Amino acid sequence: ALDGVAQRDYSISVNVHKVKPDSLFWNKLSLNKLPSIYNNPTVQKTVRYKNQAVCISGIHPQYTLAKINNPSNFMWDMQEISFPFTPNVNSLSATEDALYMLDNENNLYTSFDGVNWTACNEKWHHIYGGYGSSLLGVKLIDGNYYHVTYPASTIALADSECPISGTSSIVSFENEWSNNTQAFVIGGRRSDGKVIGDMWGYDGSNWAKISQAGVYPREEMTFFSYYTFETDSTNWEITELPTLIAFGGFDQEGYAGKKVYISIDMGLNWKLADDLMQLPDYIPAMGNAQALVFSRTLVSRGGNSDWIDYPSKQLPSWWEIYNPVYSRVAQPTTKW
């Protein structure tokens, strides 16, 4: 005290967060098994079809078809299916109105429900994925590779720099650079056998290389569109940035990887994500993995610790005027 005599002891405790706020991180509690009737399936592919996650998995000749509307509850509808051909499950792809798959001899098949499959009378070298109601792929004709579509058949000689196999799943979205929807793949193997790390795009009529600085050359990468957040340290405002994310895959020698790469300029430039977004040690290196993004609002109300689906409710204008929020960590989290 000021008199130099009186004194009092204080005890201070400091709580330290184990997870950095306002950041993506990987949660070990999210681990779950593949939706399958059979134990230890050796093949699987999951796609988004008619706003559902559709997964085909199994050990030939036994396969499971699993569908789910809300992946967060893990309540899959599963049934046993059989194919009139030997399926290349990794080639499974979806357009707006149909599923497609190659067999072990590269014949193309289609299905509307995942159960009944019919031949398309087409032989393709590789499937990129769906673009609206069209399927994009590669056909080998007399030693040359061509870009093709189905069912509205178009054909164009593929650029020698363009990957003709081993590409990631396709990602489609709209941006201000074009009037048409853009479809993108990253990585893959060229016709000369070289594995690349470039991103290529399709605008409805043409394929073109998009990236100026790509990722480390890999094929069968996991690729999806999400968001990251940038904080202005002057006024602490948070800016949501559309972000492309790619990770995993196999290099030229066939070794799997786990490095995570991001692009915040629609794939023009790629860089290694920061340490918080890199996969933790307990997740192994991988290839041929898929990532699907389903957008839902989860809310915890009334002190309940459970997070549930809840229709988002717009705050009144007076709340925003008198209660400005500059960062998600300025108050207890009630919405995620």
Side-chain angles (χ1 to χ4, degrees):
L2 291 177
D3 61 10
V5 177
Q7 67 178 41
R8 184 172 180 178
D9 294 333
Y10 292 87
S11 178
I12 299 175
S13 63
V14 179
N15 296 324
V16 180
H17 285 283
K18 294 182 179 180
V19 176
K20 185 176 179 180
D22 282 341
S23 301
L24 283 177
F25 70 98
W26 302 92
N27 183 0
K28 196 171 184 177
L29 297 178
S30 297
L31 176 67
N32 219 321
K33 293 182 179 180
L34 282 172
S36 179
I37 298 173
Y38 309 105
N39 294 326
N40 303 317
T42 58
V43 292
Q44 77 82 30
K45 181 68 179 289
T46 306
V47 297
R48 185 169 187 148
Y49 177 54
K50 294 186 176 179
N51 209 33
Q52 289 184 314
V54 177
C55 176
I56 293 179
S57 63
I59 305 174
H60 187 73
Q62 298 174 316
Y63 293 94
T64 298
L65 172 68
K67 300 179 180 180
I68 194 169
N69 290 309
N70 179 9
S72 63
N73 64 23
F74 211 75
M75 297 177 62
W76 294 77
D77 293 324
M78 293 186 285
Q79 68 180 103
E80 182 181 11
I81 56 172
S82 59
F83 294 96
F85 55 91
T86 301
N88 175 1
V89 174
N90 190 51
S91 68
L92 177 66
S93 298
T95 64
E96 289 178 348
D97 49 18
L99 294 166
Y100 293 90
M101 189 189 302
L102 298 175
D103 68 6
N104 62 338
E105 296 181 347
N106 285 343
N107 296 300
L108 184 64
Y109 288 80
T110 186
S111 173
F112 295 107
D113 57 9
V115 178
N116 303 290
W117 293 81
T118 57
C120 300
N121 298 318
E122 292 275 342
K123 197 162 189 172
W124 283 20
H125 176 75
H126 176 65
I127 295 177
Y128 290 121
Y131 179 83
S133 59
S134 296
L135 186 70
L136 309 180
V138 177
K139 183 181 287 190
L140 178 61
I141 304 175
D142 296 331
N144 295 312
Y145 293 94
Y146 292 85
H147 289 142
V148 289
T149 62
Y150 184 88
S153 179
T154 62
I155 186 168
L157 184 65
D159 190 295
S160 61
E161 299 291 315
C162 186
I164 49 83
S165 67
T167 55
S168 68
S169 297
I170 204 165
V171 171
S172 298
F173 55 85
E174 297 178 355
N175 59 45
E176 58 189 19
W177 300 349
S178 173
N179 293 327
N180 298 333
T181 299
Q182 307 291 297
F184 301 104
V185 294
I186 193 166
R189 190 178 291 265
R190 300 188 318 202
S191 58
D192 62 4
K194 183 178 179 180
V195 173
I196 63 174
D198 302 316
M199 190 180 87
W200 281 70
Y202 178 77
D203 66 356
S205 57
N206 298 293
W207 282 92
K209 178 183 172 183
I210 304 299
S211 58
Q212 297 178 351
V215 303
Y216 184 83
R218 293 199 172 274
E219 57 181 341
E220 308 292 356
M221 295 190 76
T222 303
F223 182 38
F224 60 100
S225 176
Y226 202 64
Y227 297 92
T228 54
F229 296 88
E230 187 177 78
T231 304
D232 183 342
S233 59
T234 302
N235 53 19
W236 301 105
E237 290 184 347
I238 306 296
T239 301
E240 185 180 80
L241 302 175
T243 304
L244 294 174
I245 301 175
F247 62 83
F250 304 102
D251 63 15
Q252 187 76 44
E253 287 71 39
Y255 292 104
K258 59 186 296 182
K259 293 291 186 181
V260 179
Y261 298 85
I262 65 170
S263 173
I264 59 174
D265 58 6
M266 301 301 172
L268 286 177
N269 296 283
W270 289 83
K271 65 179 182 179
L272 276 173
D274 62 30
D275 290 342
L276 288 168
M277 286 184 63
Q278 294 300 325
L279 298 178
D281 293 339
Y282 60 79
I283 295 182
M286 72 190 77
N288 289 331
Q290 299 88 54
L292 305 182
V293 178
F294 284 77
S295 178
R296 292 181 179 274
T297 300
L298 300 178
V299 176
S300 179
R301 295 279 174 95
N304 190 334
S305 61
D306 294 331
W307 292 85
I308 60 173
D309 282 325
Y310 217 91
S312 57
K313 187 175 183 180
Q314 188 70 32
L315 290 173
S317 58
W318 58 263
W319 174 275
E320 297 178 3
I321 294 173
Y322 293 103
N323 299 274
V325 177
Y326 298 108
S327 171
R328 288 185 298 165
V329 297
Q331 59 184 0
T333 302
T334 58
K335 179 179 178 182
W336 190 264

